Amino acid sequence: MSAAARSAMTIARVALPVAVYTLFDYWVPAGLEVSRGQMVRVHLGRRALVGVVVGIGASTDVAGNKLQPVGEVVVGMPPLPPDVLAMADFVSRYYQEPLGLVLAQMLPPLAGNVARAPMAVAAVALSADGRELLPPRVVRAPKARALFEWLNAADDATLGAEAIAALAPRERALLRAWLGHGWVVPAPAPAAPALPLPALNADQQAAADAIVAALATFAPFLLQGVTGSGKTEVYLAAAAAAIAAGGQALLLVPEINLTPQLAQRIAAALPGRRTVMLHSRLAGGERARAWVAAAAGDADLVLGTRLAVFTPLPRLALIVVDEEQDSSFKQQDGVRYHGRDVAIWRAQQCGVPIVLGSATPSLETLAQAQRGRYGWRKLPHRAIEPARLPALRFEPNRDAGAVEGLGLPLLAAIEARLARGEQSLIFINRRGFSPSLLCAACGWQAGCPRCSARLVVHRNDRELRCHHCGHAERLPRACPECGNVDLMPLGHGTQRLEGALAARFPDARIVRIDRDSTQRKGAFTAMRDSVHAGEVDILVGTQMLAKGHDFPRLTLVGVLGADNALYSADFRATERLAALLFQVAGRAGRALLPGEVIVQTDFPAHPLYRALAGHDYESFAATLLAERRLTGLPPFGHLALLAAEARDRRDVDAFLTAARDAADVVVRAANLTVDIYPPVPAGLARRAGMERGQVLAQSAERGPLQRFLPAWREALLRLPGRRVRWVLDVDPAGFA
Ligand code: ADP
Ligand code: ZN
Ligand code: ZN
């Protein structure tokens, strides 16, 4: 290539989804329009990748003969706007992850043809031309004819988003072609059946007014409302105002809360507005379409899980994070960002209000509210009168008459509900409370061969399974150590409880809701619907049952195994248990029937249980905050965790020791107030055959830690240790 040709060349700097901290230069062929933020297809070596252009220049350090061209611009995807690129840059720097990986997280999957030409319409209808011209043309093509007839038969000749999503690829291609011809046209989404909207009560109105008054400025709010207090109506009232003023609203919810119920309430509260959903379980094409609709400003409200925080929203006016304390907002692999924290950053950058809603706010959020940095609005009463908070009782775990851990008081309470035709929920705190297999003769316990964990008995499948690595083996008939055939399962799993309840209450209709019973797609929804329809008397379940569901005939909640989390090594375990128990307790007596909660515990005087009995989350949070202040843990300190694993324990130890030394060097050189702790084995010291360990960095202020991390990361990349895999987790959710 001649010098003249090179000097006239346009260079695109591209962030690629690879685990290196550099950008890649490509030359832009003549005639290709490439701008910042655009998604482009390029080759890295022989690999074909989609990257994002983060800069345009006229020169490069890459040798001319090595320089490759940009392949093409991804069709149908608008370039990422500057504010989203800035968010990517922030996430990359804050969480110490390569920009290309961060950007890859933000984009919907771009594989295949669907994403190449996303259909950015919620609904389509036959146009007048279509009605006239299509019938003669489709006579010979059966596919086309079927599609036409479908459109023609549909109400108002309109196909909704769900119907479009359900089309076969061939039909969708046809539809796209017809859109091109103008035979079908984008249609307004069909109006939702009007649900009666409750008038806001005084507390709700005051909260909504405060948020609306803050529109167009950065204003964080903590909306602390007891379960059933009607937080959702406040979100929706604020969103309606934001949208009426020409804005878009972003509503982030935990994985588990993406319910059709919520979608219905949104549709009722925002008639004529367009809502799109964004979460990881959507098919790629669907997600791409929703994303494009949001980015183009066609969607008024985006409802999604943590990944939706990255959606381009040209008219963003309000962000809401529901159940802001939920741990699913923190991604646990790949780019370990916290959706809530990124949302706060984004609200600040865009100058819009953000509402963090919870019955049991995270200690981080609570502390900010107490310091006066967040507007603090409370909804202390349930929305539906005369619903009252449930009464709490504590009963001992050890009970001579207990059946599979269900004590006599709990059994009697269930029986009373059955007699009255009301529903009961038995909640098992699964963390550290799964049935394992023990030999009473020699003390042998069924352990995972690849992890430092016990195997869990899955009686229905006659298997032992590891919940950490997925290892499974047949339930042994006899002890492998001593041959004893009388092996006893220890602890109470959901399956055993279900069995025991069925034996005790043979006429009761019992449903188990846990990870196993809800693996099939739609299974969870089907179960929830049958609970609603009153086809279930007793629900047995785990964490999945705790939140976001409103069962009017549910009047009893029994809690088993909560004690296990009280004395955990993980500093967040008690906080999580507290949130969970307040949520579970909130399930009882939501509507007109009074509720009761029975907690089986050996420590009824524990501050958590006392707070629970008084329905006083804040007093318990105050206890926890005092502890955290003493130990310098969040929110009174900031953490980063280096987690490493290798086949051989010696490799892990050597790497972590070197990592710690490297950290000390960085801290001393820059004179930073960051404490580095000695290497320790992880809580689960071995997983899937890998030995695991960690080093903790802690600082009272965020600034020094953020200055420390890039330098430490650089040093870590230079350490020998090819047999070691490691990650840096900034603001870890807990100690693994
Ligand atoms: P939260 O999210 O705070 O737990 P929800 O928003 O789910 O509470 O509301 C609980 C129930 O109260 C819902 O059935 C909702 O329709 C109802 N509700 C909310 N606000 C009102 C109101 N102002 N008047 C009557 N019912 C209401
Ligand atoms: Zn034995
Ligand atoms: Zn295992």
Side-chain angles (χ1 to χ4, degrees), residues 196-202 204 223 225-235 257 265 322-323 358-359 379 381-385 548 550 583 587 590:
L197 282 182
L200 298 187
N201 62 36
Q204 286 173 315
L223 180 63
V226 298
T227 324
S229 60
K231 293 184 285 297
T232 310
E233 306 306 327
V234 175
Y235 307 151
N257 279 18
R265 280 167 78 182
D322 184 33
E323 306 288 359
S358 179
L379 305 179
H381 309 293
R382 290 190 164 196
I384 302 177
E385 298 301 338
D550 215 349
Q583 295 269 9
R587 293 306 110 198
R590 289 207 77 180

Side-chain angles (χ1 to χ4, degrees), residues 553-692:
R553 293 204 66 77
L554 185 77
T555 61
L556 172 69
V557 171
V559 177
L560 304 183
D563 286 351
N564 294 277
L566 287 181
Y567 304 98
S568 161
D570 183 347
F571 73 95
R572 282 195 214 269
T574 340
E575 179 185 354
R576 272 198 216 110
L577 175 68
L580 204 57
L581 289 187
F582 275 85
Q583 295 269 9
V584 177
R587 293 306 110 198
R590 289 207 77 180
L592 297 170
L593 302 166
E596 183 183 29
V597 179
I598 297 180
V599 179
Q600 286 194 190
T601 172
D602 295 326
F603 309 97
H606 191 282
L608 168 54
Y609 295 136
R610 286 215 306 268
L612 192 64
H615 303 286
D616 186 1
Y617 175 74
E618 264 175 76
S619 84
F620 182 61
T623 313
L624 284 181
L625 278 169
E627 272 174 36
R628 299 275 182 92
R629 188 189 292 277
L630 281 176
T631 47
L633 286 168
F636 301 99
H638 301 273
L639 306 176
L641 194 69
L642 170 67
E645 61 178 30
R647 299 241 156 249
D648 192 325
R649 172 60 58 187
R650 284 166 301 185
D651 290 333
V652 181
D653 291 346
F655 175 81
L656 288 177
T657 305
R660 188 212 175 178
D661 294 345
D664 284 339
V665 171
V666 172
V667 167
R668 255 181 279 120
N671 195 20
L672 296 168
T673 49
V674 176
D675 292 327
I676 311 296
Y677 287 86
V680 291
L684 187 68
R686 198 152 71 93
R687 184 167 78 187
M690 302 293 270
E691 301 289 338
R692 310 164 75 227

Side-chain angles (χ1 to χ4, degrees), residues 448-453 455 466-471 686-689:
C448 176
R450 312 170 64 210
C451 307
S452 52
L455 292 173
C466 175
H467 284 191
H468 297 289
C469 74
H471 166 88
R686 198 152 71 93
R687 184 167 78 187

Side-chain angles (χ1 to χ4, degrees), residues 285-548:
E286 242 175 300
R287 202 171 129 197
R289 276 193 298 281
W291 193 92
V292 169
D298 293 340
D300 300 302
L301 185 135
V302 172
L303 168 64
T305 53
R306 61 173 183 261
L307 61 81
V309 73
F310 298 124
T311 318
L313 293 160
R315 296 181 282 111
L316 179 63
L318 173 71
I319 304 179
V320 175
V321 184
D322 184 33
E323 306 288 359
E324 62 86 27
Q325 86 294 341
D326 196 280
S327 56
S328 77
F329 284 117
K330 172 84 161 129
Q331 177 139 305
Q332 299 290 5
D333 51 23
V335 179
R336 297 175 170 234
Y337 68 95
H338 199 301
R340 175 199 61 210
D341 296 346
V342 175
I344 295 169
W345 185 89
R346 187 174 188 184
Q348 183 158 28
Q349 290 295 305
C350 296
V352 302
I354 178 166
V355 182
L356 308 177
S358 179
T360 53
S362 65
L363 297 180
E364 279 81 355
T365 299
L366 206 53
Q368 292 288 53
Q370 287 170 353
R371 288 176 192 142
R373 301 219 187 121
Y374 291 178
W376 196 354
R377 294 281 153 177
K378 296 188 189 181
L379 305 179
H381 309 293
R382 290 190 164 196
I384 302 177
E385 298 301 338
R388 270 158 287 133
L389 293 168
L392 260 93
R393 258 161 66 195
F394 297 92
E395 301 290 349
N397 266 321
R398 294 173 228 295
D399 177 340
V403 181
E404 289 291 346
L406 291 162
L408 289 179
L410 189 48
L411 287 169
I414 296 172
E415 193 151 25
R417 296 311 180 291
L418 288 171
R420 293 205 294 265
E422 295 170 9
Q423 294 171 323
S424 306
L425 184 164
I426 309 302
F427 170 80
I428 307 189
N429 181 44
R430 176 89 102 159
R431 280 174 222 270
F433 196 69
S434 307
S436 60
L437 202 61
L438 177 83
C439 172
C442 75
W444 169 87
Q445 284 194 6
C448 176
R450 312 170 64 210
C451 307
S452 52
R454 279 187 226 132
L455 292 173
V456 178
V457 177
H458 286 247
R459 183 171 289 265
N460 293 0
D461 306 315
R462 307 202 53 71
E463 270 185 353
L464 290 170
R465 277 191 220 146
C466 175
H467 284 191
H468 297 289
C469 74
H471 166 88
E473 56 187 67
R474 289 199 64 76
L475 209 56
R477 283 174 194 287
C479 172
E481 294 286 321
C482 73
N484 168 24
V485 291
D486 196 17
L487 294 176
M488 36 175 225
L490 205 73
H492 312 283
T494 44
Q495 291 189 2
R496 271 182 77 178
L497 257 183
E498 185 188 13
L501 285 164
R504 172 77 187 230
F505 306 112
D507 296 331
R509 296 160 299 175
I510 303 171
V511 160
R512 175 169 57 92
I513 298 191
D514 58 19
R515 239 188 311 171
D516 294 324
S517 70
T518 52
Q519 257 165 7
R520 220 167 16 88
K521 206 180 164 201
F524 184 63
T525 315
M527 286 187 202
R528 199 190 46 226
D529 291 347
S530 65
V531 177
H532 257 283
E535 294 160 14
V536 171
D537 300 312
I538 306 176
L539 280 132
V540 180
T542 53
Q543 267 78 341
M544 297 194 71
L545 267 183
K547 47 202 159 181

